[in-house]
Amino acid sequence: MATVIVDGIQVEVPDNATILEAAKLAKKEIPTLCYHPDLPAIGACRICVVEVEGEPLLKTACNTNVRDGMRIRTISPAIREARQTALELILSRHPQKCNECVRNGTCELQALASRIHVGEISFPYRQRPGSPDVSSGAVGRDPSKCVLCRRCVQVCEVIQSVGAIAVQGRGYDAWIDTPFSRALSEVGCVYCGQCVDRCPVGALFEVSHVERVWRALQDPEIHVVVQTAPAVRAAIGEEFGLPPGTLVTGQMVAALRRLGFDKVFDTDFTADLTIMEEGHELIGRLRDGGVLPMLTSCSPGWINFIEHFYPDLLPHLSSCKSPQQMFGALAKTYYAQKAGIDPSKIFVVSVMPCTAKKAEAARPEMKDSGYQDVDAVLTTREAARMMKEAGIDLSKLEPEDYDLPLGVSTGAGVIFGVTGGVMEAALRTVYEVVTGKKLEKIDILPVRGMEGIREAEIELDGLRVRAAVAHGLANARKLMDKIVSGQADYHFIEIMACPGGCLSGGGQPYPTTPEIRQKRAQALYEADRLLPLRKSHENPVIQELYREFLGKPNSHKAHELLHTHYTPKPVYG
Amino acid sequence: MATIDLKTAEAEIPVIELLKKAQEEHGYLSPEVLKVIAARTGQPLSKLYGIATFYSLLTTRPKGKYRILFCKNAPCHVRGAKRVLEAIVSYLGVEPGETTKDGLFTLELTSCLGLCAVAPTMMIGEDLYGNLTPQKAIAILEDYRARERSEHA
Ligand code: SF4
Ligand code: SF4
Ligand code: SF4
Ligand code: FES
């Protein structure tokens, strides 16, 4: 431990703490812009400068470690001037179109400018190089708004091991770009949106589906159904001022109903269905000597990643569609029949924590219902934006229930939103199906947690099933390299593209930090604990669906509607 | 987590040497050339492109048949180089650093050509031109074009 004095206040901090962390303990919030707790601090913006006694120059608090006995000042005339100049330079290259900007109200630059007043900007405005690109239909870029914090570059390279974008040029004229200014779709971008989540400003964003959803809602001819992904209920409350980790399932349902959706259904229902299909697929591969380890397939960022970077491993992927796509295929077949509605008049909207889901819904093969199975995908943020525009404050509503039948789910479905959750849900069902015995310990703790790669073993009638879980694509890459080199003796691997799983997907409310991820995860495990049914195969509507419509898991009809195939793709198209 | 500097020199020196060599061989760093180096070094293409755009001696665009080096130094400047350059830019339709669509000229700015006595100056290929005015500069460029056309005719 080290003792440091921050503005006269003495605090004890770990030896390797930064000045920024020490100041926090002294209850002083030093302003930052390029710093993000998930990423290596690179000291790019110089907003966080402080004075250290005995040092002639100002220090950047985010990447300077404390020393025992260090005396720090976090505000002084010199500090104020340095911060103002740094901010003024940034603003002089910024279009400042807040009223037209998707980040109006959540922008870190806006917040900084309201905290540090620079007054009139004395440098003339010069636009940054680089041109806007929304061609991916999922993740959009507007380099003119970039402040060059480099968070996107770091998250893409360090956490996702993709490296689709990097710093180009140098100095005053540097900018963030893809190689040769290609579209994101041509440089191996997987549309995870982790860069969108980390971007402090409006330079990165989701390609919006808000208008097409409004159009559908306002068309009396169209029957608009909505599905909500597991992770959304643990985060959307944040958009309405509730603390992270507040579970708002029922209030979210009420708010969506007030927006005008004809039916409010739950992706958790098809998460349960995914477990039935994927669980039986695993049992089949174990029994018949199929390709192992089997890899989960519900995270579209991960699917894009393996298609681009490990095409040879595609046979390992489960052929199951993601819960979003299973839902779309059933909404326009099973549900349409049951409700007596012409499927061409059904419009399926998803509310997802994810940007990659937009691209997934648009994949040409996702038409097994005879129509595009999912018509529009809203991120959690976009759904909240629509509610706010309509004057609906979710936090003030009484909880309501999902509609029948596609709104019934179990605890196994809800934990799909957190890393390890798909594995846990699958093991709960696979165990009971294979052994015919009741699983006593429903909570499978070894697969929980935020460790990048986790392993577990479960005994199934004499066979020890070895499982691994990875989240964040750099961790996925490590496991894939193990498979390639023949060192992976697992049977089943769960991969989620985003760190922490869908709960910190690229479409979730700003910001996402390690603490916020923890809280959202707790909320999902709490939701699981509170549900009367916690195993997918016990879901009565799933049982009915198989009886009435699909036959049995992995049946011919199930394969037609609920399974898919994958295509190797070059990294640089 | 350790601090990483995205432009860490040590890690990139061998890559830079590779890029320089590739440029010598191919004239410029095309997407195809960089893809080969990306596969060889395991570096993402975006980073290689970043290095190529960082160092002015590297270029990601093909060079024209004739390289125009236009002097941007003070003696030329005070004798009207700015107006001459503007005329060239608008005549060729390219900014400094770019190559004309017909692939004939690459316009580049340079520091002193050692001909300050006859400023403003430029060099095209191996030939030096001085005492430039906007009209004179364009006449010279038109000459090159005409010569090119007759060679092809
Ligand atoms: S990025 Fe922020 S500061 Fe820039 S226009 Fe958008 S809201 Fe305003
Ligand atoms: S969406 Fe993901 S893969 Fe694409 S640039 Fe952003 S972080 Fe990289
Ligand atoms: S695009 Fe956003 S995250 Fe990336 S450097 Fe610019 S401001 Fe930072
Ligand atoms: S926050 Fe420390 S330099 Fe940007």
Side-chain angles (χ1 to χ4, degrees):
Chain A
M1 293 298 266
T3 306
V4 300
I5 294 159
V6 182
D7 296 332
I9 300 162
Q10 184 171 325
V11 283
E12 299 287 318
V13 297
D15 287 326
N16 60 353
T18 60
I19 294 178
L20 188 65
E21 289 158 352
K24 203 171 221 153
L25 287 175
K27 305 220 158 25
K28 278 278 176 137
E29 205 66 52
I30 295 172
T32 57
L33 184 59
C34 66
Y35 170 77
H36 191 284
D38 284 339
L39 301 168
I42 55 169
C45 74
R46 299 198 57 83
I47 291 293
C48 66
V49 287
V50 295
E51 281 176 19
V52 174
E53 205 177 273
E55 298 273 356
L57 299 175
L58 298 180
K59 290 279 177 192
T60 43
C62 66
N63 64 346
T64 307
N65 286 84
V66 296
R67 264 186 290 102
D68 193 38
M70 197 184 240
R71 288 173 174 270
I72 300 151
R73 278 180 85 182
T74 71
I75 191 94
S76 74
I79 292 169
R80 292 190 60 229
E81 199 191 322
R83 287 181 186 160
Q84 281 173 359
T85 309
L87 182 57
E88 195 179 344
L89 273 168
I90 293 167
L91 291 174
S92 75
R93 301 221 62 182
H94 197 83
Q96 315 227 42
K97 291 186 175 169
C98 303
N99 286 334
E100 300 162 31
C101 185
V102 59
R103 290 301 294 270
N104 195 0
T106 62
C107 174
E108 293 179 39
L109 181 60
Q110 225 179 19
L112 196 63
S114 105
R115 172 168 168 184
I116 299 172
H117 259 271
V118 298
E120 193 94 353
I121 293 160
S122 44
F123 309 103
Y125 171 60
R126 242 184 79 199
Q127 193 178 324
R128 280 197 189 281
S131 13
D133 172 24
V134 292
S135 62
S136 75
V139 171
R141 304 174 55 234
D142 180 356
S144 74
K145 288 183 182 157
C146 175
V147 297
L148 272 184
C149 70
R150 295 159 162 75
R151 289 186 197 172
C152 56
V153 173
Q154 294 204 67
V155 80
C156 191
E157 187 179 333
V158 180
I159 296 190
Q160 300 299 59
S161 73
V162 170
I165 44 180
V167 185
Q168 310 300 336
R170 67 160 122 191
Y172 187 67
D173 279 320
W175 80 105
I176 306 294
D177 211 344
T178 57
F180 298 92
S181 307
R182 294 273 183 81
L184 278 177
S185 56
E186 295 170 6
V187 294
C189 167
V190 303
Y191 310 140
C192 65
Q194 287 302 300
C195 55
V196 175
D197 179 83
R198 299 309 184 290
C199 184
V201 294
L204 291 163
F205 46 87
E206 68 270 73
V207 177
S208 177
H209 286 185
V210 165
E211 291 310 319
R212 58 168 103 153
V213 175
W214 279 123
R215 270 197 303 279
L217 286 172
Q218 272 142 17
D219 185 338
E221 298 285 293
I222 298 210
H223 183 78
V224 192
V225 306
V226 64
Q227 57 167 326
T228 60
V232 177
R233 69 207 67 199
I236 196 169
E238 293 163 32
E239 290 277 346
F240 298 89
L242 296 171
T246 313
L247 195 64
V248 292
T249 317
Q251 287 156 306
M252 171 185 70
V253 170
L256 290 168
R257 209 164 267 139
R258 276 170 178 66
L259 263 182
F261 288 102
D262 294 300
K263 294 286 173 191
V264 182
F265 290 141
D266 200 354
T267 316
D268 291 15
F269 169 76
T270 36
D272 278 336
L273 185 60
T274 301
I275 289 304
M276 296 302 287
E277 291 296 318
E278 194 164 314
H280 282 86
E281 184 183 355
L282 177 65
I283 294 168
R285 290 192 190 208
L286 288 169
R287 283 197 179 137
D288 311 335
V291 179
L292 292 170
M294 186 172 91
L295 306 171
T296 58
S297 58
C298 41
S299 163
W302 153 239
I303 298 296
N304 293 335
F305 183 80
I306 185 171
E307 284 183 329
H308 281 105
F309 295 95
Y310 292 91
D312 294 346
L313 298 184
L314 287 176
H316 288 266
L317 273 182
S318 160
S319 63
C320 286
K321 287 183 184 171
S322 71
Q324 154 169 290
Q325 295 306 135
M326 287 198 184
F327 181 94
L330 286 181
K332 293 187 182 184
T333 54
Y334 176 65
Y335 169 71
Q337 271 173 35
K338 234 177 138 86
I341 301 169
D342 173 359
S344 71
K345 296 273 186 278
I346 296 180
F347 190 89
V348 176
V349 177
S350 320
V351 182
M352 293 283 141
C354 181
T355 45
K357 288 280 172 197
K358 288 178 187 265
E360 179 187 56
R363 286 173 79 112
E365 64 269 25
M366 294 298 175
K367 285 188 181 128
D368 291 325
S369 65
Y371 307 88
Q372 199 72 40
D373 296 333
V374 173
D375 298 283
V377 179
L378 300 171
T379 59
T380 307
R381 296 186 294 262
E382 287 177 293
R385 197 183 311 151
M386 291 182 70
M387 292 171 190
K388 288 178 195 168
E389 184 177 349
I392 300 164
D393 182 349
L394 171 156
S395 69
K396 302 229 162 66
L397 299 180
E398 285 303 316
E400 293 176 14
D401 285 330
Y402 281 105
D403 286 304
L404 295 174
L406 307 187
V408 177
S409 64
T410 71
V414 80
I415 56 173
F416 261 60
V418 51
T419 170
V422 176
M423 176 63 67
E424 182 167 346
L427 292 179
R428 287 179 191 174
T429 286
V430 168
Y431 180 87
E432 297 203 350
V433 170
V434 171
T435 64
K437 286 187 282 204
K438 198 168 150 52
L439 180 67
E440 295 304 336
K441 275 200 173 140
I442 296 181
D443 295 332
I444 304 175
L445 299 177
V447 299
R448 296 193 183 180
M450 289 291 163
E451 198 56 39
I453 297 176
R454 305 184 295 283
E455 298 178 345
E457 265 192 5
I458 179 167
E459 174 88 37
L460 288 180
D461 264 353
L463 173 68
R464 295 192 72 78
V465 172
R466 290 175 48 74
V469 172
H471 56 127
L473 292 170
N475 291 320
R477 189 183 276 279
K478 287 185 198 145
L479 281 183
M480 292 312 108
D481 287 342
K482 265 179 118 175
I483 297 181
V484 171
S485 64
Q487 291 167 298
D489 60 343
Y490 308 109
H491 300 98
F492 190 26
I493 298 179
E494 176 208 286
I495 308 272
M496 294 190 191
C498 295
C502 315
L503 55 81
S504 75
Q508 290 283 62
Y510 298 112
T512 304
T513 63
E515 292 88 73
I516 292 175
R517 282 198 286 274
Q518 283 292 354
K519 295 208 168 109
R520 291 176 186 162
Q522 278 160 15
L524 290 174
Y525 284 123
E526 185 65 5
D528 169 31
R529 210 177 52 79
L530 292 176
L531 278 162
L533 296 175
R534 299 180 61 196
K535 296 169 199 152
S536 299
H537 54 286
E538 291 175 350
N539 181 332
V541 182
I542 294 283
Q543 293 167 353
E544 188 177 278
L545 170 71
Y546 278 112
R547 263 200 318 275
E548 288 180 350
F549 189 68
L550 292 172
K552 55 183 188 4
N554 295 344
S555 69
H556 183 69
K557 187 148 197 179
H559 264 281
E560 254 175 32
L561 289 174
L562 309 179
H563 291 251
T564 186
H565 58 272
Y566 310 100
T567 320
K569 291 175 184 159
V571 177
Y572 303 114
Chain B
M1 249 185 258
T3 301
I4 61 151
D5 180 351
L6 292 167
K7 297 278 186 203
T8 311
E10 315 87 90
E12 282 166 9
I13 281 168
V15 178
I16 289 174
E17 291 308 319
L18 273 178
L19 292 174
K20 280 207 282 205
K21 257 186 81 185
Q23 176 161 313
E24 276 162 27
E25 270 170 41
H26 300 271
Y28 74 107
L29 298 170
S30 66
E32 289 63 38
V33 168
L34 284 191
K35 274 188 218 173
V36 171
I37 298 176
R40 208 149 110 205
T41 59
Q43 296 259 19
L45 195 60
S46 60
K47 273 191 101 180
L48 297 180
Y49 184 64
I51 299 168
T53 55
F54 183 84
Y55 292 100
S56 49
L57 62 109
L58 297 175
T59 174
T60 57
R61 279 180 279 201
K63 292 277 184 224
K65 181 168 176 191
Y66 299 105
R67 192 166 171 214
I68 307 173
L69 290 175
F70 191 88
C71 179
K72 62 170 183 193
N73 270 24
C76 282
H77 190 80
V78 296
R79 293 178 63 173
K82 187 160 173 263
R83 277 179 39 242
V84 178
L85 181 62
E86 281 167 4
I88 295 176
V89 162
S90 89
Y91 172 76
L92 294 178
V94 296
E95 295 291 327
E98 295 177 349
T99 299
T100 52
K101 281 211 181 65
D102 58 9
L104 205 54
F105 298 109
T106 300
L107 178 59
E108 282 170 34
L109 299 184
T110 182
S111 25
C112 195
L113 290 170
L115 297 168
C116 308
V118 291
T121 59
M122 68 176 173
M123 196 169 160
I124 301 181
E126 302 289 303
D127 301 323
L128 288 158
Y129 300 91
N131 288 325
L132 294 175
T133 63
Q135 295 77 3
K136 205 170 151 190
I138 287 169
I140 294 167
L141 295 175
E142 277 173 343
D143 257 13
Y144 274 86
R145 286 223 155 118
R147 224 182 305 155
E148 193 67 17
R149 273 195 299 273
S150 61
E151 266 175 36
H152 280 277

